[in-house]
Amino acid sequence: MTTLVLIIAAVLTALIGGLFYAYSCSVVLGLGKLSDMEYLKAMQNINREILNPVFFISFMGTAALLPLSTFLFRGHQPVFLFLLLASLAYLIGVFGVTIVGNVPMNDALDKFDISKSTMETARQMRDNFENRWNFLNNIRTIFSVISIISVVCACVWNKEA
């Protein structure tokens, strides 16, 4: 059972890491080519649509299953240490950055009424949003990769399989 939890945690970690990676290497590049109004509308729609069960299962599931795996493998070195690193990287660098950084920005963007904005206010909103959001997403991507590498190492060194 512990190995099954570990495998599910590894898959969820890879799925959520892939999401942030895809944003970093393609989505934000494409969005960056849009006009201010198009960009803001696209990001509002993306931020609304991502709030769905599939995303929450992977995002919250990883936040729950990595620490659970760490607990289940306590005393099993080096698996425990790899899982501890994966958990800390995810909880601080992915989950934490999302909750403290990206979510408040997404909420502020959601409240921005594009239909009542001028070209200047749209430009200001984009200027206040885009670079910081992309920077935070890159942090999430890096910490996701650290989590993925660590959980894969835990799977490789797991002797319970």
Side-chain angles (χ1 to χ4, degrees):
M1 184 58 124
T2 56
T3 298
L4 180 60
V5 171
L6 176 59
I7 290 168
I8 294 169
V11 169
L12 292 178
T13 304
L15 288 172
I16 202 70
L19 172 75
F20 297 130
Y21 172 77
Y23 264 86
S24 290
C25 71
S26 65
V27 175
V28 298
L29 300 175
L31 291 172
K33 305 235 184 283
L34 299 175
S35 71
D36 295 338
M37 297 286 198
E38 292 171 323
Y39 173 85
L40 295 172
K41 189 170 191 146
M43 283 302 290
Q44 281 181 336
N45 286 323
I46 290 168
N47 290 335
R48 290 173 184 153
E49 292 302 318
I50 201 164
L51 302 176
N52 66 67
V54 174
F55 170 75
F56 282 119
I57 287 169
S58 56
F59 185 69
M60 302 300 277
T62 304
L65 290 181
L66 282 177
L68 175 61
S69 294
T70 304
F71 175 78
L72 292 174
F73 283 92
R74 67 194 183 283
H76 299 273
Q77 303 300 337
V79 176
F80 171 80
L81 294 175
F82 285 125
L83 290 171
L84 181 61
L85 177 58
S87 296
L88 291 173
Y90 186 82
L91 292 173
I92 295 167
V94 179
F95 192 84
V97 167
T98 301
I99 299 304
V100 173
N102 295 88
V103 168
M105 293 179 71
N106 294 347
D107 290 344
L109 179 61
D110 192 56
K111 293 174 185 159
F112 183 73
D113 189 348
I114 295 171
S115 66
K116 294 181 182 172
S117 70
T118 65
M119 298 289 270
E120 179 61 26
T121 58
R123 185 191 59 75
Q124 288 174 348
M125 182 62 172
R126 182 177 184 168
D127 287 347
N128 292 334
F129 182 88
E130 185 175 23
N131 288 335
R132 183 166 179 251
W133 194 95
N134 290 346
F135 175 74
L136 293 173
N137 189 68
N138 288 336
I139 290 173
R140 297 187 300 184
T141 302
I142 291 165
F143 278 90
S144 289
V145 170
I146 293 168
S147 291
I148 293 165
I149 291 169
S150 299
V151 77
V152 166
C153 288
C155 289
V156 168
W157 271 278
N158 178 18
K159 304 299 184 213
E160 292 191 15

